[in-house]
Amino acid sequence: MSLVLQSLLVAEDLDRVRAELAALTWSSGKRTAGSAARDVKENLQADGSDPRVKELERFVVEALRRHPLFEIAARPARLSRLLFSRYEPGMTYGAHTDDALMGKGEDKLRTDLAFTIFLADSSSYEGGELVVDSALGEQGIKLEAGDAILYPAGSIHHVAPVTSGVRLAAVGWLQSFVSDPTQRETLFDLSVTRSRLAAAGIAREELLKLDKSISNLLRMWAR
Ligand code: NI
């Protein structure tokens, strides 16, 4: 299941992020690509060891964690570092699948889900769609600045060549407490239904059995 997280960053957040990104130096994205992706990755990335980048990562991750759908859609156990990427005209990231395990030592995590947070106004560049292969075929995703897409890291995906303007994005991965996508989707559907019932004014006592079921499924499936 892929899911859009709308308005993860609001206009003033985007102003801050873009102003700080504009002051950075960028280098080839090949340095952080897994061996399978290195040959097809043609973009630029911010230097993750720069303290300004680390601060920006914290700021964006806080926004991600605050988004009302993130927790129930991802059930995140561990988050990777964020990569800030920049695609100038002619740049692209060819078809690849993400490494199953990322990070080193204590920070090592299994990548269940990937996410891309779009940072440039969609009308400011052409091309640059994130294209994800699914059972229904290829799906091209180009979201408004501040929106994010959560999608399976195990999918085959690519970033279409940028033909004009500059595509800015933050990308990351997470290990979910619920690694099975069907189980995760079941919990998500039940949680969304719970919110809608609560919003419709269903009495709290009536929701208790549903809460119990969601909690107990999570206990059975979380690891
Ligand atoms: Ni990827």
Side-chain angles (χ1 to χ4, degrees), residues 95-212:
H96 67 280
T97 181
D98 299 333
D99 283 353
L101 301 174
M102 282 186 196
K104 290 197 172 74
E106 302 259 294
D107 292 331
K108 197 152 204 154
L109 58 89
R110 185 188 61 235
T111 57
D112 294 316
L113 288 168
F115 54 88
T116 294
I117 305 167
F118 290 75
L119 299 173
D121 289 331
S122 62
S123 58
S124 71
Y125 62 100
E126 285 176 63
E129 295 84 3
L130 169 68
V131 182
V132 181
D133 261 11
S134 75
L136 300 173
E138 286 194 337
Q139 189 191 8
I141 301 147
K142 185 170 179 177
L143 301 177
E144 285 309 314
D147 292 352
I149 178 89
L150 203 54
Y151 64 100
S155 62
I156 293 175
H157 53 269
H158 69 272
V159 176
V162 168
T163 54
S164 72
V166 173
R167 177 193 195 265
L168 284 175
V171 302
W173 295 265
L174 65 92
Q175 178 172 323
S176 176
F177 277 115
V178 183
S179 63
D180 182 286
T182 308
Q183 292 174 343
R184 209 166 46 234
E185 188 169 343
T186 301
L187 286 165
F188 177 74
D189 289 345
L190 289 171
S191 295
V192 168
T193 302
R194 195 244 179 249
S195 309
R196 292 198 178 140
L197 289 172
I202 301 278
R204 211 175 141 60
E205 314 75 273
E206 306 288 334
L207 289 172
L208 265 178
K209 281 253 162 57
L210 184 52
D211 287 340
K212 178 184 155 193

